[in-house]
Amino acid sequence: MLPATFKLCAGISYRHMRNMTGLRKNALAAVHHELNRLAGPGPSNWISQVRRSSLLSSRIQEEEEYNEEEMSYVKQGENALQKAISILSEQNGWTVETVAANGDKVLSKVLPDIGKVFKLEVVLEQRPDNLYEELVEKMEQMGEWNPNVKQVKILQKIGQDTMVTHEVSAETPGNVVGPRDFVSVRCAKRRGSTCFLAGMSTQHPKMPEQKGVVRAENGPTCIVMKPCAEDPNKTKFTWLLSLDLKGWIPKTIINKVLSQTQVDFANHLRNRMANNVSMEMAYAC
């Protein structure tokens, strides 16, 4: 199904084909099918055919309002999401990089044309909606609670699902890896109770390369947040990470840095969400 989805989505990238309403409907339906398949059984199956048709009609109407540049970013974001889904759907070939004492796990595999990718698998004691709000709706606040990130800035929003961001990472301890910055297109989707946040590197006129900072590349990346089957108040959190940090850094160091970054991120996110709960309780008193 995935190869056919890619071909179908590629077809709507051409202007004369994008005007063919039937083709766009088929392409969007294929995207929805793959998202729902990855979301798996559970509340996501409550989405009726009528609701899906409504979503597709709304999306087609939105497309008519986008200019060529905006449509380019929308397609880049959806392409990143589809590539990430393809990678995460393949369960074979993953190697364990590290397992933390609390069960947090980082795995990796080498893919043609992409290189080494990393996958974080953790369980968080938060509902997916709460995590989605923190990571998507409050994205620009990430530098406040994640010491590995100096800044996240939204450069442009396109519709409800797509945005272009600029992120600046902090240097690693001992400055083994210096600061890096990224310009990324991000695609945020919800399918039932499962949430997706995918991204990949792009270019944007508001953020050319900066002096003194290495412009790194990422993607496809994707965070999937899905309620745990045994407890819907907990989230199965999966983060696919693919980065090219650029510069002359040995691969052994890069592998160690990236896997540790994912473990650290999970801990920082836990602390952030716990602090949010504590503040809400204090306000309620």
Side-chain angles (χ1 to χ4, degrees):
M1 178 62 189
L2 279 168
T5 303
F6 291 142
K7 292 178 181 178
L8 202 52
C9 292
I12 64 173
S13 67
Y14 295 95
R15 182 182 297 275
H16 70 282
M17 298 184 73
R18 200 162 62 227
N19 293 329
M20 297 171 62
T21 303
L23 180 59
R24 286 206 309 275
K25 286 183 177 179
N26 290 338
L28 291 168
V31 172
H32 280 257
H33 172 78
E34 290 302 323
L35 287 176
N36 290 333
R37 186 171 67 84
L38 187 59
S44 62
N45 288 339
W46 301 341
I47 303 176
S48 66
Q49 183 64 41
V50 174
R51 183 182 175 191
R52 284 200 297 270
S53 298
S54 176
L55 287 170
L56 292 177
S57 298
S58 175
R59 174 57 192 283
I60 290 172
Q61 183 177 1
E62 285 183 357
E63 282 191 7
E64 299 297 338
E65 300 173 357
Y66 295 151
N67 60 37
E68 187 173 348
E69 180 188 60
E70 291 170 336
M71 272 307 305
S72 173
Y73 288 129
V74 170
K75 288 183 289 189
Q76 288 176 53
E78 293 184 347
N79 185 40
L81 181 57
Q82 285 299 310
K83 286 183 177 179
I85 289 174
S86 177
I87 295 170
L88 291 173
S89 297
E90 179 53 62
Q91 299 298 317
N92 298 324
W94 293 93
T95 300
V96 175
E97 290 279 338
T98 182
V99 179
N102 61 359
D104 291 358
K105 183 188 300 184
V106 177
L107 304 97
S108 69
K109 71 189 305 185
V110 178
L111 300 173
D113 303 325
I114 295 178
K116 195 165 188 176
V117 298
F118 296 82
K119 180 173 66 170
L120 172 72
E121 294 182 342
V122 302
V123 173
L124 300 175
E125 296 187 1
Q126 296 286 335
R127 297 177 65 89
D129 280 350
N130 296 337
L131 294 167
Y132 184 91
E133 179 183 3
E134 185 65 49
L135 296 176
V136 178
E137 298 174 12
K138 300 180 180 178
M139 181 182 296
E140 292 185 310
Q141 300 178 21
M142 188 176 295
E144 299 175 4
W145 53 269
N146 185 354
N148 292 323
V149 175
K150 285 186 176 181
Q151 179 183 355
V152 177
K153 182 179 180 181
I154 297 174
L155 302 176
Q156 182 178 356
K157 285 188 175 181
I158 304 102
Q160 296 182 346
D161 299 337
T162 308
M163 67 186 77
V164 182
T165 63
H166 178 239
E167 312 98 49
V168 182
S169 68
E171 64 274 7
T172 61
N175 202 27
V176 176
V177 178
R180 297 292 194 270
D181 80 334
F182 305 83
V183 174
S184 309
V185 59
R186 297 178 179 270
C187 178
K189 299 278 188 181
R190 290 174 183 255
R191 290 298 174 268
S193 56
T194 301
C195 305
F196 302 83
L197 176 59
M200 65 183 299
S201 285
T202 190
Q203 296 180 352
H204 196 276
K206 288 185 179 180
M207 192 55 62
E209 292 193 25
Q210 308 293 297
K211 291 183 178 180
V213 181
V214 177
R215 174 64 52 88
E217 295 182 358
N218 66 333
T221 64
C222 187
I223 289 174
V224 181
M225 295 165 282
K226 177 181 178 180
C228 291
E230 62 276 10
D231 186 349
N233 292 313
K234 295 182 180 181
T235 298
K236 181 181 179 182
F237 186 98
T238 304
W239 176 21
L240 176 71
L241 178 64
S242 171
L243 290 183
D244 182 354
L245 295 176
K246 304 296 184 180
W248 300 97
I249 308 173
K251 288 185 178 180
T252 53
I253 293 179
I254 291 177
N255 293 342
K256 183 177 181 180
V257 166
L258 294 183
S259 60
Q260 187 61 48
T261 295
Q262 288 192 295
V263 172
D264 291 344
F265 177 84
N267 290 327
H268 297 319
L269 182 57
R270 283 192 181 96
N271 293 336
R272 172 68 168 187
M273 300 308 293
N275 290 337
N276 287 349
V277 171
S278 297
M279 292 179 63
E280 289 174 0
M281 293 178 63
Y283 287 138
C285 294

Coordinates of all heavy atoms in Angstrom, one line a residue, residues 164-247:
V164 N 6.6 25.9 9.4 CA 8.0 25.9 9.2 C 8.7 26.5 10.4 O 8.2 27.6 10.9 CB 8.4 26.8 7.9 CG1 9.9 26.7 7.7 CG2 7.7 26.3 6.7
T165 N 9.7 25.8 11.0 CA 10.3 26.3 12.2 C 11.8 26.4 12.1 O 12.4 25.8 11.2 CB 10.0 25.2 13.3 OG1 10.6 24.0 13.0 CG2 8.5 25.0 13.5
H166 N 12.3 27.2 13.0 CA 13.8 27.3 13.1 C 14.2 26.9 14.6 O 13.6 27.4 15.5 CB 14.2 28.7 12.9 CG 15.7 28.9 13.1 ND1 16.3 29.8 14.0 CD2 16.8 28.4 12.4 CE1 17.6 29.8 13.9 NE2 17.9 28.9 13.0
E167 N 15.0 25.9 14.7 CA 15.5 25.4 16.0 C 17.0 25.6 16.1 O 17.7 25.4 15.1 CB 15.1 23.9 16.1 CG 13.7 23.6 15.8 CD 13.6 23.0 14.4 OE1 14.4 22.1 14.0 OE2 12.8 23.5 13.6
V168 N 17.4 25.9 17.3 CA 18.8 26.0 17.6 C 19.1 25.1 18.8 O 18.5 25.2 19.9 CB 19.2 27.5 18.0 CG1 20.7 27.5 18.3 CG2 18.8 28.5 16.9
S169 N 20.0 24.2 18.6 CA 20.4 23.2 19.6 C 21.5 23.8 20.5 O 22.4 24.6 20.0 CB 20.8 21.9 19.0 OG 22.0 22.0 18.3
A170 N 21.6 23.3 21.7 CA 22.7 23.7 22.6 C 23.9 22.8 22.3 O 23.8 21.7 21.8 CB 22.3 23.6 24.0
E171 N 25.1 23.3 22.7 CA 26.3 22.4 22.5 C 26.2 21.3 23.6 O 25.6 21.4 24.6 CB 27.6 23.2 22.7 CG 27.8 23.8 24.1 CD 27.1 25.2 24.3 OE1 26.3 25.6 23.3 OE2 27.2 25.8 25.3
T172 N 26.9 20.2 23.3 CA 26.9 19.0 24.2 C 27.9 19.3 25.3 O 28.8 20.2 25.1 CB 27.3 17.7 23.4 OG1 28.6 17.9 22.9 CG2 26.2 17.4 22.4
P173 N 27.9 18.6 26.4 CA 28.9 18.8 27.4 C 30.3 18.6 26.9 O 30.6 17.7 26.1 CB 28.5 17.6 28.4 CG 27.1 17.4 28.2 CD 26.8 17.6 26.8
G174 N 31.1 19.6 27.3 CA 32.5 19.6 26.8 C 32.6 20.1 25.4 O 33.7 20.1 24.8
N175 N 31.5 20.6 24.8 CA 31.4 21.1 23.5 C 31.9 20.1 22.4 O 32.6 20.4 21.4 CB 32.2 22.4 23.3 CG 31.8 23.2 22.2 OD1 30.6 23.1 21.7 ND2 32.6 24.1 21.6
V176 N 31.7 18.8 22.7 CA 32.0 17.7 21.8 C 31.3 18.0 20.4 O 31.9 17.8 19.3 CB 31.7 16.3 22.3 CG1 32.0 15.3 21.3 CG2 32.5 16.1 23.6
V177 N 30.1 18.4 20.5 CA 29.3 18.8 19.3 C 28.8 20.2 19.6 O 28.1 20.4 20.6 CB 28.1 17.8 19.0 CG1 27.3 18.3 17.8 CG2 28.6 16.4 18.8
G178 N 29.2 21.1 18.8 CA 28.9 22.5 19.0 C 27.4 22.8 18.6 O 26.7 21.9 18.2
P179 N 26.9 24.0 18.8 CA 25.6 24.4 18.5 C 25.2 24.1 17.0 O 26.1 24.3 16.1 CB 25.5 25.9 18.8 CG 26.6 26.1 19.7 CD 27.7 25.2 19.3
R180 N 24.0 23.6 16.7 CA 23.5 23.4 15.4 C 22.2 24.1 15.3 O 21.5 24.3 16.2 CB 23.4 21.9 15.1 CG 24.6 21.1 15.2 CD 25.5 21.5 14.0 NE 26.6 20.5 13.8 CZ 27.8 20.6 14.4 NH1 28.1 21.5 15.2 NH2 28.7 19.7 14.1
D181 N 21.9 24.5 14.0 CA 20.5 25.0 13.8 C 19.9 24.3 12.6 O 20.6 23.7 11.8 CB 20.5 26.5 13.6 CG 20.9 27.0 12.2 OD1 21.6 26.3 11.6 OD2 20.5 28.1 11.9
F182 N 18.6 24.3 12.7 CA 17.8 23.5 11.7 C 16.6 24.4 11.2 O 16.0 25.1 12.0 CB 17.2 22.3 12.3 CG 18.2 21.3 13.0 CD1 18.6 21.6 14.3 CD2 18.6 20.2 12.3 CE1 19.5 20.7 14.9 CE2 19.5 19.4 12.9 CZ 20.0 19.6 14.2
V183 N 16.3 24.3 10.0 CA 15.1 24.9 9.4 C 14.2 23.7 9.0 O 14.7 22.9 8.1 CB 15.3 25.9 8.3 CG1 14.0 26.3 7.7 CG2 16.1 27.1 8.8
S184 N 13.1 23.5 9.5 CA 12.3 22.3 9.3 C 10.8 22.7 8.9 O 10.3 23.6 9.4 CB 12.3 21.4 10.5 OG 13.6 21.2 11.0
V185 N 10.3 21.8 8.1 CA 8.8 21.9 7.8 C 8.2 20.8 8.7 O 8.8 19.6 8.8 CB 8.5 21.7 6.4 CG1 9.0 20.4 5.8 CG2 7.0 21.8 6.1
R186 N 7.1 21.1 9.4 CA 6.5 20.1 10.3 C 5.1 19.9 9.9 O 4.4 20.8 9.5 CB 6.6 20.6 11.8 CG 8.1 20.7 12.3 CD 8.1 21.3 13.7 NE 9.4 21.4 14.2 CZ 10.1 20.5 14.8 NH1 9.5 19.3 15.0 NH2 11.3 20.7 15.3
C187 N 4.7 18.6 10.1 CA 3.3 18.2 9.7 C 2.7 17.6 11.0 O 3.2 16.6 11.5 CB 3.3 17.3 8.6 SG 1.7 16.6 8.1
A188 N 1.7 18.2 11.6 CA 1.0 17.7 12.8 C -0.4 17.2 12.4 O -1.2 17.9 11.8 CB 0.9 18.8 13.8
K189 N -0.6 15.9 12.8 CA -1.9 15.3 12.5 C -2.5 14.6 13.7 O -1.7 14.1 14.6 CB -1.7 14.2 11.4 CG -1.2 14.7 10.1 CD -2.3 15.3 9.2 CE -1.7 15.6 7.8 NZ -2.8 16.2 7.0
R190 N -3.8 14.5 13.8 CA -4.5 13.7 14.8 C -5.3 12.7 14.0 O -6.0 13.0 13.1 CB -5.4 14.5 15.6 CG -4.6 15.5 16.6 CD -5.7 16.3 17.3 NE -5.1 17.3 18.2 CZ -5.1 17.2 19.5 NH1 -5.7 16.2 20.1 NH2 -4.6 18.1 20.3
R191 N -5.3 11.4 14.5 CA -6.2 10.4 14.0 C -6.8 9.7 15.2 O -6.2 8.9 15.8 CB -5.5 9.4 13.1 CG -5.0 10.0 11.8 CD -6.2 10.5 10.9 NE -5.8 11.2 9.7 CZ -5.6 12.5 9.6 NH1 -5.8 13.2 10.7 NH2 -5.3 13.0 8.5
G192 N -8.1 10.1 15.5 CA -8.7 9.6 16.7 C -7.9 10.1 17.9 O -7.7 11.3 18.0
S193 N -7.5 9.2 18.7 CA -6.7 9.5 19.9 C -5.2 9.4 19.7 O -4.4 9.6 20.6 CB -7.1 8.6 21.1 OG -7.0 7.3 20.8
T194 N -4.8 9.1 18.5 CA -3.4 9.1 18.2 C -2.9 10.3 17.5 O -3.6 10.9 16.6 CB -3.1 7.9 17.2 OG1 -3.5 6.7 17.9 CG2 -1.6 7.7 16.9
C195 N -1.7 10.8 17.9 CA -1.2 12.1 17.4 C 0.1 11.9 16.7 O 0.9 11.1 17.2 CB -1.0 13.1 18.6 SG -2.5 13.4 19.6
F196 N 0.4 12.6 15.7 CA 1.6 12.5 14.9 C 2.2 13.9 14.7 O 1.5 14.9 14.5 CB 1.3 12.0 13.5 CG 0.6 10.6 13.4 CD1 -0.7 10.5 13.6 CD2 1.4 9.5 13.2 CE1 -1.4 9.3 13.5 CE2 0.8 8.2 13.2 CZ -0.6 8.1 13.3
L197 N 3.5 14.0 14.8 CA 4.3 15.2 14.5 C 5.5 14.8 13.7 O 6.5 14.3 14.3 CB 4.7 15.9 15.8 CG 5.5 17.2 15.6 CD1 4.8 18.2 14.7 CD2 5.9 17.8 17.0
A198 N 5.5 15.1 12.4 CA 6.6 14.7 11.5 C 7.3 15.9 11.0 O 6.7 17.0 11.0 CB 6.0 13.8 10.4
G199 N 8.5 15.7 10.5 CA 9.2 16.9 10.0 C 10.4 16.5 9.2 O 10.9 15.3 9.2
M200 N 11.0 17.4 8.4 CA 12.2 17.2 7.7 C 12.8 18.6 7.3 O 12.1 19.6 7.4 CB 11.9 16.5 6.4 CG 11.0 17.2 5.4 SD 10.7 16.2 3.9 CE 12.3 15.9 3.3
S201 N 14.0 18.7 7.0 CA 14.7 19.9 6.7 C 14.1 20.6 5.4 O 13.6 19.9 4.5 CB 16.2 19.7 6.5 OG 16.8 19.5 7.7
T202 N 14.1 21.9 5.4 CA 13.7 22.7 4.3 C 14.4 24.0 4.3 O 15.4 24.2 5.1 CB 12.1 22.9 4.4 OG1 11.7 23.5 3.2 CG2 11.8 23.9 5.5
Q203 N 14.1 24.9 3.4 CA 14.6 26.2 3.3 C 13.5 27.2 3.4 O 12.4 27.0 3.0 CB 15.4 26.4 2.0 CG 16.6 25.5 1.8 CD 17.3 25.7 0.5 OE1 16.9 26.5 -0.4 NE2 18.5 25.1 0.4
H204 N 13.9 28.4 4.0 CA 12.9 29.4 4.2 C 13.5 30.8 4.1 O 14.6 31.0 4.6 CB 12.2 29.3 5.5 CG 10.9 30.1 5.6 ND1 10.9 31.5 5.9 CD2 9.6 29.7 5.4 CE1 9.6 31.9 5.9 NE2 8.8 30.8 5.6
P205 N 12.9 31.7 3.3 CA 13.6 33.0 3.1 C 13.8 33.8 4.4 O 14.7 34.7 4.4 CB 12.6 33.8 2.2 CG 11.3 33.0 2.3 CD 11.7 31.6 2.6
K206 N 13.1 33.6 5.4 CA 13.2 34.3 6.7 C 14.5 33.8 7.5 O 14.8 34.5 8.4 CB 12.0 34.2 7.6 CG 10.8 35.0 7.0 CD 9.7 34.9 8.0 CE 8.4 35.7 7.6 NZ 7.3 35.6 8.5
M207 N 15.0 32.7 7.1 CA 16.1 32.1 7.9 C 17.2 31.5 7.1 O 17.3 30.3 7.0 CB 15.6 31.1 8.9 CG 16.6 30.7 10.0 SD 17.2 32.1 11.0 CE 15.7 32.7 11.7
P208 N 18.0 32.3 6.4 CA 19.2 31.8 5.7 C 20.2 31.3 6.7 O 20.0 31.4 8.0 CB 19.7 33.0 5.0 CG 19.3 34.2 5.8 CD 18.0 33.8 6.4
E209 N 21.3 30.6 6.3 CA 22.3 30.1 7.2 C 22.9 31.2 8.0 O 23.2 32.3 7.5 CB 23.4 29.4 6.4 CG 22.8 28.1 5.7 CD 24.0 27.2 5.2 OE1 25.1 27.3 5.7 OE2 23.7 26.4 4.3
Q210 N 23.2 30.9 9.3 CA 23.7 31.9 10.2 C 25.2 31.8 10.4 O 25.7 30.7 10.5 CB 22.9 31.8 11.5 CG 21.4 31.8 11.4 CD 20.9 33.1 11.0 OE1 21.0 34.1 11.7 NE2 20.2 33.1 9.8
K211 N 25.9 32.9 10.5 CA 27.3 32.9 10.8 C 27.5 32.3 12.2 O 26.9 32.7 13.2 CB 27.9 34.3 10.7 CG 27.9 34.8 9.3 CD 28.6 36.2 9.2 CE 28.7 36.7 7.8 NZ 29.4 38.0 7.7
G212 N 28.6 31.5 12.3 CA 28.9 30.9 13.6 C 28.1 29.7 14.0 O 28.4 29.1 15.1
V213 N 27.1 29.3 13.2 CA 26.3 28.1 13.6 C 26.2 27.2 12.4 O 26.0 27.6 11.3 CB 24.9 28.6 14.0 CG1 24.1 27.3 14.4 CG2 24.9 29.5 15.2
V214 N 26.5 25.9 12.6 CA 26.4 25.0 11.6 C 25.0 24.6 11.3 O 24.2 24.2 12.2 CB 27.2 23.7 11.9 CG1 27.1 22.6 10.8 CG2 28.7 24.0 12.2
R215 N 24.6 24.7 10.0 CA 23.2 24.4 9.6 C 23.2 22.9 9.3 O 23.7 22.4 8.4 CB 22.8 25.1 8.3 CG 21.5 24.8 7.7 CD 20.3 25.1 8.6 NE 20.3 26.5 9.1 CZ 19.7 27.5 8.5 NH1 19.2 27.3 7.3 NH2 19.7 28.7 9.1
A216 N 22.5 22.1 10.3 CA 22.4 20.7 10.1 C 21.1 20.3 9.4 O 20.3 21.2 9.1 CB 22.5 20.1 11.5
E217 N 20.9 19.1 9.1 CA 19.8 18.6 8.4 C 19.1 17.5 9.2 O 19.8 16.7 9.8 CB 20.1 18.1 7.0 CG 20.7 19.2 6.1 CD 21.0 18.7 4.7 OE1 20.8 17.5 4.5 OE2 21.4 19.5 3.9
N218 N 17.8 17.5 9.1 CA 17.0 16.4 9.8 C 15.9 15.8 8.9 O 15.5 16.5 7.9 CB 16.4 16.9 11.1 CG 15.4 17.9 10.8 OD1 15.4 18.6 9.9 ND2 14.4 18.0 11.8
G219 N 15.5 14.7 9.2 CA 14.4 14.1 8.5 C 14.7 12.8 7.6 O 15.9 12.7 7.2
P220 N 13.7 12.0 7.5 CA 12.4 12.3 8.2 C 12.4 12.0 9.7 O 13.1 11.1 10.1 CB 11.5 11.3 7.5 CG 12.4 10.1 7.1 CD 13.7 10.8 6.8
T221 N 11.7 12.8 10.4 CA 11.6 12.6 11.8 C 10.1 12.5 12.1 O 9.3 13.0 11.4 CB 12.2 13.7 12.7 OG1 11.4 14.9 12.4 CG2 13.6 13.9 12.4
C222 N 9.7 11.8 13.2 CA 8.3 11.7 13.5 C 8.1 11.3 15.0 O 8.8 10.4 15.5 CB 7.6 10.7 12.6 SG 5.8 10.7 12.8
I223 N 7.2 11.9 15.7 CA 6.8 11.5 17.0 C 5.3 11.0 16.9 O 4.5 11.6 16.2 CB 6.8 12.7 18.0 CG1 8.3 13.1 18.3 CG2 6.1 12.4 19.3 CD1 8.4 14.3 19.2
V224 N 5.1 9.8 17.4 CA 3.8 9.2 17.4 C 3.4 9.0 18.9 O 4.1 8.4 19.7 CB 3.8 7.8 16.7 CG1 2.4 7.2 16.7 CG2 4.3 8.0 15.3
M225 N 2.2 9.6 19.2 CA 1.7 9.5 20.6 C 0.4 8.7 20.6 O -0.6 9.2 20.0 CB 1.6 10.9 21.2 CG 2.9 11.6 21.4 SD 2.7 13.4 21.7 CE 2.4 14.0 20.0
K226 N 0.4 7.6 21.2 CA -0.8 6.7 21.1 C -1.2 6.2 22.5 O -0.3 5.8 23.3 CB -0.4 5.5 20.2 CG -1.5 4.4 20.1 CD -1.0 3.3 19.2 CE -2.0 2.2 19.1 NZ -1.5 1.1 18.2
P227 N -2.5 6.2 22.9 CA -2.9 5.7 24.2 C -2.4 4.3 24.4 O -2.5 3.4 23.5 CB -4.4 5.8 24.2 CG -4.7 6.8 23.1 CD -3.6 6.6 22.1
C228 N -1.9 3.9 25.6 CA -1.6 2.6 25.9 C -2.9 1.7 26.0 O -3.9 2.2 26.5 CB -0.9 2.5 27.3 SG 0.8 3.2 27.3
A229 N -2.8 0.5 25.5 CA -4.0 -0.3 25.4 C -4.5 -0.6 26.8 O -5.7 -0.7 27.1 CB -3.6 -1.6 24.7
E230 N -3.6 -0.8 27.8 CA -4.0 -1.2 29.1 C -4.4 0.0 30.0 O -5.1 -0.2 31.0 CB -2.8 -2.0 29.8 CG -1.6 -1.2 30.0 CD -0.7 -1.2 28.8 OE1 -1.1 -1.7 27.8 OE2 0.5 -0.8 28.9
D231 N -4.0 1.2 29.6 CA -4.4 2.4 30.4 C -4.4 3.6 29.5 O -3.3 4.1 29.1 CB -3.4 2.6 31.5 CG -3.8 3.8 32.4 OD1 -4.7 4.5 32.1 OD2 -3.1 3.9 33.5
P232 N -5.6 4.1 29.1 CA -5.7 5.2 28.1 C -5.1 6.5 28.7 O -5.0 7.5 27.9 CB -7.2 5.3 27.8 CG -7.8 4.6 29.0 CD -6.9 3.6 29.4
N233 N -4.9 6.6 30.0 CA -4.3 7.8 30.6 C -2.8 7.8 30.5 O -2.1 8.8 30.9 CB -4.7 7.9 32.1 CG -6.2 8.2 32.2 OD1 -6.7 9.0 31.6 ND2 -6.8 7.4 33.1
K234 N -2.2 6.7 29.9 CA -0.8 6.7 29.6 C -0.6 6.7 28.1 O -1.5 6.3 27.4 CB -0.1 5.5 30.3 CG -0.2 5.5 31.8 CD 0.5 4.2 32.3 CE 0.5 4.2 33.9 NZ 1.2 3.0 34.4
T235 N 0.6 7.1 27.7 CA 0.9 7.2 26.2 C 2.1 6.4 25.8 O 3.1 6.4 26.5 CB 1.2 8.7 25.9 OG1 0.0 9.4 26.2 CG2 1.5 8.8 24.4
K236 N 1.9 5.6 24.8 CA 3.0 4.9 24.1 C 3.7 6.0 23.2 O 3.0 6.4 22.2 CB 2.6 3.7 23.3 CG 3.8 3.0 22.7 CD 3.3 1.8 21.9 CE 4.5 1.1 21.2 NZ 4.0 0.0 20.3
F237 N 4.9 6.4 23.5 CA 5.5 7.5 22.8 C 6.7 7.0 22.0 O 7.6 6.4 22.5 CB 6.0 8.5 23.9 CG 6.6 9.8 23.4 CD1 5.8 10.9 23.3 CD2 7.9 9.9 22.9 CE1 6.4 12.1 22.9 CE2 8.4 11.1 22.4 CZ 7.7 12.2 22.4
T238 N 6.6 7.2 20.7 CA 7.6 6.7 19.8 C 8.2 7.9 19.0 O 7.4 8.7 18.5 CB 7.1 5.7 18.8 OG1 6.5 4.6 19.5 CG2 8.2 5.2 17.9
W239 N 9.5 8.0 19.0 CA 10.2 9.2 18.3 C 11.2 8.6 17.3 O 12.2 8.1 17.8 CB 10.8 10.1 19.3 CG 11.6 11.3 18.7 CD1 11.5 11.8 17.5 CD2 12.6 12.0 19.4 NE1 12.3 12.8 17.3 CE2 13.0 13.0 18.5 CE3 13.2 12.0 20.7 CZ2 14.0 13.9 18.8 CZ3 14.2 12.9 21.0 CH2 14.6 13.9 20.0
L240 N 10.9 8.8 16.1 CA 11.9 8.5 15.0 C 12.8 9.7 14.8 O 12.3 10.8 14.5 CB 11.2 8.1 13.7 CG 12.1 7.8 12.5 CD1 12.8 6.5 12.7 CD2 11.2 7.8 11.2
L241 N 14.1 9.5 14.8 CA 15.1 10.6 14.7 C 16.1 10.3 13.6 O 16.7 9.2 13.6 CB 15.8 10.8 16.0 CG 16.9 11.9 16.0 CD1 16.3 13.3 15.8 CD2 17.6 11.9 17.4
S242 N 16.2 11.2 12.7 CA 17.2 11.1 11.6 C 17.9 12.4 11.5 O 17.2 13.4 11.1 CB 16.5 10.7 10.3 OG 17.4 10.8 9.2
L243 N 19.2 12.5 11.8 CA 19.9 13.8 11.7 C 21.2 13.7 11.0 O 21.9 12.6 11.1 CB 20.2 14.3 13.2 CG 19.0 14.8 14.0 CD1 19.6 15.3 15.4 CD2 18.3 15.9 13.3
D244 N 21.6 14.7 10.3 CA 22.9 14.8 9.7 C 23.5 16.1 10.4 O 23.1 17.2 10.0 CB 22.9 15.0 8.2 CG 24.3 15.1 7.6 OD1 25.3 15.2 8.4 OD2 24.4 15.1 6.4
L245 N 24.4 15.9 11.4 CA 24.9 17.1 12.1 C 25.9 17.9 11.4 O 26.3 19.0 11.9 CB 25.5 16.6 13.5 CG 24.5 16.0 14.4 CD1 25.2 15.4 15.7 CD2 23.4 17.0 14.8
K246 N 26.4 17.4 10.3 CA 27.4 18.0 9.5 C 28.7 18.2 10.3 O 28.8 17.8 11.4 CB 26.9 19.4 9.0 CG 25.6 19.4 8.2 CD 25.8 18.6 6.9 CE 24.5 18.6 6.1 NZ 24.7 17.9 4.8
G247 N 29.7 18.7 9.7 CA 31.0 18.8 10.4 C 31.8 17.5 10.4 O 31.3 16.5 10.0

